[in-house]
Amino acid sequence: MKADAEDMSSRDQATGTPDAIPAWQRALEADGWFGLVLPGVLALTFILIVFLAVMAGDRALVASARETNGATLQAILASTMQRFEEWAGHQERNAAVWANSELVRDALEELLETPVESSLAAAPAQSELRATLGPWLTEYGYRGFFVMGANGVNLASLRNSDLGRPSATLGLVDIERLQRGRAILTRPQIVDTPALAGDPEWAGLDEEVVMYAIAAITVDDVVRGYFALRIDPLAEYSSTFRVGRIGMSGETYAVDRNGRLISETRYASDYRTAGLLAQGHPSMLHLEIRNPGVNLTRGAAPSEPYSSWPLTAAAQAVTDGARGANLTGYRDARGVRVMGAWAWDPVREIGAITEIDVDEALAGVNRARAVMRVFAVAMALCFIAIAVMFNIHRSVSRRRTRQTLEATQRFRRILMTVAEGIYGVDQAGIVTFVNPRACEMLGYGEDELIGQSIHALVHHSRRDGTPYPEHECPIVNGEEVSDEGAEEFFWTKAGVCVPVEFSKSWLEAGNPSAGSVVTIRDITRRRRDELALLRYAQELKRSNAELQEFAYAASHDLQEPLRKIQAFGERLHRKYHDALDETGQHYLDRMVDAASRMRRLIDDLLGYSRVNSKSTAFEPVDLTRVLADVLSDLEPRIVAEGASVRVGTLPAIEADQGQMHQLFLNLLSNSMKFHRLGVDPSILVEGAVEVGEGGAVARISVTDNGIGFEARHAERIFGMFERLHGREEYDGTGVGLATCRKIVEHHSGILTAWAEPDSGAVFTIILPIRQTVDR
């Protein structure tokens, strides 16, 4: 009885009847509760993932849009500030040119000698100034001019009513700065000009917005008076900010230290509607950039009086002298949410702000967000439909799946093996199956491998061609081999020996008679990469050794003395520059400038010393300009040795400019050093473009009349630390020409030398016009 029960139990387990299947396993079946719920859970999970992805994409879109708008606002702000600075500089230069003209100087002297103020209008100089300046002022859009004495009294103007009266213009500028010879452009100002009794040109009270470009009139370095141009800020000045508007709502404007608007705005009508700007008044100087706290364009009314409104975030930041941006949004003077960028110009005492409505800036993003939300809803519905269909399909296909379960389990271990090529062999080493990758790797077709001895086909010989006995083959014989195991050499159908890494495992654990599965992967590329890595490591080691030697010499032997020269030169320039005469100042300036160039040269040399350990980006280089810089560096030596250096036309090439400077500096210094006694050095640098096998090349020759050398030393002189003369005869380290050749070779070029004793030398450089790759 007990035996019958055990037999029945074994049959139940073998046939998989429900009584033999545990309850938890039945729950996982397609008809179980978990199998029915699982699709819904997966659908909800995917919906949650889509929701989170949409949220992440939404945030990424907004962040990207803010970043893009921020970059655009910063670019517009920088362009506007540059455009304003160019316009301001132009006005100041115009004022300075007229102030230093003979016409204005002579007129000032004549008007200063006029005894009666009432005679100023009738003075010949007055007429001459008006006749000369009047058409010019009209042509270039100026409102008028003033010639003032040193005491600030108006001596000349287009209007008689200004003559003999103290000018308020000088109160708008720094007199000391003006007297030092700097022309100054004032900020926009409101000027109230009352009518003068008996003056037919004026009637009533005239309020106008003006700017002035003022310059001192000096005679023999003595300030005799001042010249001012009267500018209409509503014209070109405002247009410099007006062109900074972007889109339909973009605005670029200027404010003063108090947050008052000192340029025109495109929203003047909105401010008039809100009662912030009187009819007939320009927005310039009549409006402060304050935050109303509500959107005035929608008819909202602030609860607080205008005087208590704070400045907008941009106006407050820029009046504090800050530079920055706000991309999250803040209210502008209309109460509309905007994003903006701002900067303060401490020299002009003016702040510039560029803004755009948040709604317009993010309009494209908002549309994309709406599309993403619609997509998310559609995906959610799709997942729900898929879950329902999957549940139905799963119930139907489950019955079919059971029929092929044993076959699926047989090949599951093979499919889980990680390798490129897979094949199975029986206990005798006969191939039972093979995957397409293994066929491709070995060059055989599937029908050529199945049923054949794998050892006889692909593993019959060692790498050197000697036979490989089958009983020694670890693939056919022996135990399992893990992924960390052996490397062997397989022979392809074409007779090519391929290095492979293989692993071997039994099809049935612990049962070698069932056969084994072997995975192989081609490691040819890995071997090649390992050899290349070894070569690179050796090259890097050598390069680093050279780099360390050069960097140490440059840091300790060159930089420290140069640092002292620069430090003491700058102190001398700062403390005693004004005490020197013009020639001394010139020499001092050139010394400081030469020290700075030397500093840059050392930095370039340090960069070049790392040429084998970092990439170099080649750029267009004008060799004529490089030679000009080199001659400037060598000018004291050229003068001291009475050398003559002639430079012909040199081509422009793609190169490293610092290395080209070092190349010609070394060659010219070498030519001057090795000159003949009693003979002034004469050097000729010539260049031409030729067509070589690899394309256009520049052939450059440096010819001198020095001591030359024997032809057998033509290659020796380019060796590191090679010297043909003792240190008592000629100073030097023997590194210069070696450095030259290394620079030329780094640029895929050739450097050669030819000479005869006492007949000079010719150094020839051949460089490609365009470099094929960066190094």
Side-chain angles (χ1 to χ4, degrees):
M1 191 76 167
K2 182 177 180 182
D4 293 339
E6 291 176 354
D7 183 68
M8 178 65 70
S9 175
S10 62
R11 286 199 304 270
D12 289 343
Q13 292 179 4
T15 57
T17 59
D19 292 339
I21 300 176
W24 64 268
Q25 187 173 352
R26 288 199 302 270
L28 296 177
E29 296 292 335
D31 299 332
W33 65 268
F34 188 79
L36 296 174
V37 173
L38 180 60
V41 173
L42 292 176
L44 291 176
T45 302
F46 284 129
I47 291 172
L48 178 61
I49 292 173
V50 170
F51 175 76
L52 295 177
V54 169
M55 291 183 60
D58 187 278
R59 288 193 295 270
L61 279 174
V62 173
S64 176
R66 294 187 189 281
E67 181 179 356
T68 301
N69 282 296
T72 302
L73 290 171
Q74 292 287 1
I76 292 173
L77 180 65
S79 175
T80 301
M81 295 292 286
Q82 180 181 358
R83 186 165 48 251
F84 167 72
E85 184 60 32
E86 292 173 354
W87 177 83
H90 179 67
Q91 308 308 315
E92 291 173 345
R93 287 192 295 274
N94 285 344
V97 169
W98 282 110
N100 293 318
S101 65
E102 293 184 5
L103 171 68
V104 174
R105 288 180 177 176
D106 295 341
L108 174 64
E109 295 299 329
E110 180 180 336
L111 294 172
L112 287 173
E113 295 175 2
T114 302
V116 181
E117 292 181 354
S118 60
S119 302
L120 291 172
Q126 191 77 238
S127 301
E128 186 177 1
L129 282 174
R130 292 178 177 178
T132 303
L133 284 171
W136 182 84
L137 296 174
T138 301
E139 179 180 356
Y140 290 98
Y142 291 97
R143 298 286 296 276
F145 74 95
F146 296 104
V147 176
M148 298 162 281
N151 58 358
V153 174
N154 287 329
L155 301 179
S157 173
L158 287 179
R159 303 187 298 197
N160 292 336
S161 56
D162 294 328
L163 302 180
R165 298 168 60 84
S167 175
T169 306
L170 295 181
L172 305 176
V173 298
D174 184 351
I175 296 298
E176 293 184 359
R177 181 183 172 195
L178 193 61
Q179 291 178 346
R180 289 196 299 268
R182 286 292 305 275
I184 299 177
L185 177 71
T186 70
R187 295 191 300 275
Q189 303 289 332
I190 295 178
V191 178
D192 294 329
T193 306
L196 299 178
D199 190 346
E201 298 180 27
W202 294 92
L205 184 67
D206 177 31
E207 177 185 288
E208 61 177 335
V209 181
V210 297
M211 298 174 71
Y212 299 98
I214 310 171
I217 304 173
T218 59
V219 178
D220 297 331
D221 295 331
V222 176
V223 177
R224 298 285 293 164
Y226 304 95
F227 178 83
L229 290 172
R230 187 185 185 97
I231 302 170
D232 181 6
L234 299 178
E236 292 185 1
Y237 166 78
S238 287
S239 68
T240 60
F241 294 95
R242 192 179 303 119
V243 295
R245 300 170 180 173
I246 57 173
M248 301 298 296
S249 63
E251 172 78 308
T252 299
Y253 56 92
V255 297
D256 62 12
R257 179 65 75 177
N258 298 319
R260 185 172 55 169
L261 183 67
I262 56 174
S263 65
E264 284 291 275
T265 174
R266 72 189 303 172
Y267 298 114
S269 60
D270 290 342
Y271 296 124
R272 290 191 179 94
T273 302
L276 300 180
L277 186 62
Q279 292 292 336
H281 280 182
S283 57
M284 184 185 299
L285 297 174
H286 290 85
L287 187 68
E288 295 182 355
I289 308 303
R290 296 180 176 273
N291 179 10
V294 296
N295 193 334
L296 300 179
T297 63
R298 297 181 179 176
S303 59
E304 299 293 333
Y306 180 77
S307 59
S308 63
W309 296 359
L311 294 177
T312 67
Q316 184 63 56
V318 79
T319 55
D320 290 338
R323 172 187 289 270
N326 185 323
L327 304 179
T328 58
Y330 60 92
R331 292 188 184 274
D332 66 357
R334 301 170 295 148
V336 177
R337 291 193 64 78
V338 298
M339 59 176 63
W342 54 82
W344 179 259
D345 186 347
V347 177
R348 302 287 181 187
E349 284 292 312
I350 185 174
I353 302 174
T354 296
E355 297 171 338
I356 187 172
D357 289 2
V358 171
D359 290 341
E360 181 181 1
L362 300 180
V365 174
N366 290 333
R367 288 192 294 270
R369 294 166 70 187
V371 172
M372 288 180 62
R373 292 188 179 97
V374 172
F375 173 78
V377 173
M379 288 294 293
L381 295 176
C382 289
F383 283 134
I384 294 173
I386 291 172
V388 174
M389 295 176 63
F390 175 80
N391 200 28
I392 298 173
H393 175 73
R394 188 169 182 264
S395 299
V396 175
S397 62
R398 184 71 175 180
R399 291 188 296 269
R400 300 176 181 173
T401 303
R402 289 177 179 175
Q403 299 174 358
T404 57
L405 179 61
E406 292 185 1
T408 302
Q409 290 176 342
R410 184 179 183 87
F411 288 99
R412 184 175 300 167
R413 189 183 183 100
I414 299 175
L415 296 177
M416 293 177 60
T417 303
V418 179
E420 293 183 357
I422 305 174
Y423 67 88
V425 293
D426 59 15
Q427 191 175 15
I430 303 301
V431 178
T432 58
F433 67 88
V434 63
N435 73 340
R437 179 67 184 115
C439 294
E440 178 184 353
M441 186 185 304
L442 300 175
Y444 288 93
E446 182 178 357
D447 56 343
E448 294 178 296
L449 290 173
I450 294 179
Q452 302 296 323
S453 170
I454 191 68
H455 183 82
L457 285 178
V458 301
H459 204 200
H460 47 78
S461 302
R462 303 182 190 275
R463 184 182 183 184
D464 57 1
T466 59
Y468 199 155
E470 186 173 353
H471 66 272
E472 296 179 9
C473 177
I475 298 177
V476 177
N477 305 286
E479 300 296 330
E480 290 181 315
V481 179
S482 67
D483 288 340
E484 302 175 357
E487 295 182 2
E488 288 289 344
F489 292 88
F490 279 14
W491 293 84
T492 68
K493 183 177 181 180
V496 178
C497 184
V498 179
V500 298
E501 183 180 75
F502 74 93
S503 63
K504 172 185 174 183
S505 59
W506 308 127
L507 280 175
E508 295 179 8
N511 184 16
S513 62
S516 59
V517 59
V518 180
T519 62
I520 58 174
R521 58 181 60 86
D522 188 345
I523 60 173
T524 303
R525 179 177 297 178
R526 191 178 74 184
R527 289 283 186 89
R528 184 169 58 248
D529 292 343
E530 288 173 352
L531 292 175
L533 182 61
L534 178 61
R535 289 195 297 269
Y536 293 154
Q538 294 173 346
E539 181 66 16
L540 180 61
K541 182 177 179 181
R542 183 189 63 79
S543 175
N544 287 340
E546 295 180 358
L547 171 63
Q548 292 174 359
E549 294 176 1
F550 183 82
Y552 181 87
S555 298
H556 293 272
D557 298 340
L558 297 177
Q559 292 198 68
E560 183 59 27
L562 179 60
R563 193 178 295 114
K564 291 182 179 180
I565 293 173
Q566 284 188 295
F568 286 110
E570 290 172 357
R571 293 178 185 176
L572 185 63
H573 188 279
R574 185 170 57 254
K575 292 184 178 182
Y576 302 104
H577 183 271
D578 294 336
L580 299 172
D581 59 11
E582 184 176 356
T583 301
Q585 292 177 354
H586 176 70
Y587 291 161
L588 180 57
D589 291 340
R590 293 194 60 179
M591 181 190 75
V592 173
D593 182 64
S596 298
R597 288 201 307 272
M598 188 61 184
R599 164 66 63 183
R600 293 193 299 269
L601 178 59
I602 291 177
D603 291 340
D604 289 339
L605 287 174
L606 286 173
Y608 167 69
S609 68
R610 303 182 181 95
V611 67
N612 289 330
S613 59
K614 71 169 188 175
S615 297
T616 299
F618 295 115
E619 59 183 2
V621 175
D622 186 350
L623 295 182
T624 301
R625 296 187 60 181
V626 172
L627 260 294
D629 292 340
V630 171
L631 293 179
S632 178
D633 292 343
L634 295 175
E635 183 176 356
R637 183 173 178 181
I638 293 174
V639 174
E641 297 186 6
S644 171
V645 181
R646 293 172 295 160
V647 179
T649 301
L650 301 180
I653 65 173
E654 287 186 354
D656 184 305
Q657 185 163 347
Q659 294 182 16
M660 289 297 102
H661 186 282
Q662 183 64 39
L663 170 65
F664 288 104
L665 183 69
N666 286 5
L667 291 177
L668 295 183
S669 299
N670 186 78
S671 294
M672 287 190 287
K673 178 170 66 175
F674 294 102
H675 68 274
R676 288 178 288 170
L677 294 177
V679 178
D680 292 339
S682 178
I683 305 171
L684 173 63
V685 182
E686 295 178 304
V689 176
E690 301 177 355
V691 178
E693 295 180 355
V697 297
R699 177 183 292 271
I700 304 163
S701 63
V702 179
T703 306
D704 62 50
N705 63 341
I707 62 174
F709 54 84
E710 295 182 6
R712 60 191 177 92
H713 297 312
E715 281 298 317
R716 178 187 170 189
I717 60 174
F718 294 108
M720 183 69 79
F721 306 117
E722 288 290 346
R723 301 171 54 88
L724 301 181
H725 305 278
R727 296 186 182 274
E728 298 79 13
E729 298 180 78
Y730 296 98
D731 190 19
T733 62
V735 180
L737 290 180
T739 302
C740 291
R741 171 162 281 186
K742 190 171 184 180
I743 291 173
V744 173
E745 290 177 349
H746 178 65
H747 287 75
S748 303
I750 301 173
L751 174 59
T752 59
W754 177 90
E756 289 183 356
D758 295 328
S759 297
V762 178
F763 291 86
T764 302
I765 308 166
I766 299 177
L767 294 170
I769 297 295
R770 296 181 61 86
Q771 297 290 336
T772 57
V773 294
D774 289 344
R775 301 194 175 192

